[in-house]
Amino acid sequence: MKEFQPLIGEWHGEGEVPMEPPMKISVEAKIERLGEFIVFSSVGEPAEVPDSVSIIGGAPDGEPQPMHYFDSRGVKRRFMMALEGSTWKIWRAPGEDWKGPHGPGFNQRFIGEISADGKTIEGRWERGMGDAGDEWGIDFPISYFRK
């Protein structure tokens, strides 16, 4: 889990969801260690942005880590998370039914690039559509700034 050290800290995030009219979002996020795990919590604005907490860890070091996500809407999802060099990736865990009654109706993944100085992350959430969920398009961009 040492590979996640560049993410540890407090972050301010800003993005814009492409809808009519566009919705500007703001999040305050904290990524911290809890023993052998990592806790990723965020509080967002406006009210439509759910507050969330994720518990990350449980796999052997150096492998993608399970990420259990919970939010203020009552949504529970399983993701996988990895940090490869400066690229932070989050994707739906194998076996997650994104088309089922509790899924969002589309596949999901996040890709973020950490700056060389470690002070910013330029990221984007993507939606995977189609029967296999592998026709990817940008859901919304988000940039994080270290506090």
Side-chain angles (χ1 to χ4, degrees):
M1 298 278 285
K2 293 178 217 146
E3 67 268 25
F4 296 110
Q5 189 59 37
L7 299 173
I8 303 297
E10 294 187 28
W11 299 87
H12 170 75
E14 297 177 356
E16 186 173 279
V17 178
M19 54 193 304
E20 250 341 288
M23 179 174 61
K24 291 194 181 293
I25 62 172
S26 174
V27 297
E28 300 304 320
K30 185 185 288 187
I31 303 174
E32 57 191 330
R33 293 193 179 278
L34 180 63
E36 295 294 316
F37 297 93
I38 293 174
V39 177
F40 178 6
S41 58
S42 70
V43 176
E45 292 288 336
E48 294 86 356
V49 177
D51 299 342
S52 68
V53 64
S54 296
I55 309 299
I56 300 135
D61 278 347
E63 291 186 15
Q65 296 295 317
M67 176 176 160
H68 296 269
Y69 168 93
F70 308 89
D71 74 27
S72 55
R73 302 169 296 180
V75 170
K76 301 172 197 106
R77 296 188 179 143
R78 288 185 311 118
F79 292 91
M80 298 299 290
M81 186 170 110
L83 188 60
E84 299 166 356
S86 63
T87 304
W88 178 20
K89 296 180 181 179
I90 300 171
W91 63 97
R92 293 303 290 264
E96 275 286 279
D97 186 6
W98 51 269
K99 294 189 278 186
H102 302 289
F106 52 88
N107 202 351
Q108 295 172 292
R109 70 181 180 192
F110 172 83
I111 302 170
E113 286 295 326
I114 303 169
S115 64
D117 64 6
K119 294 182 180 177
T120 61
I121 301 169
E122 293 297 327
R124 66 189 182 276
W125 278 98
E126 297 181 344
R127 286 179 181 227
M129 304 300 283
D131 290 341
D134 59 356
E135 297 170 21
W136 294 100
I138 294 177
D139 191 10
F140 64 93
I142 187 164
S143 299
Y144 289 97
F145 308 92
R146 191 176 291 280
K147 293 171 87 175

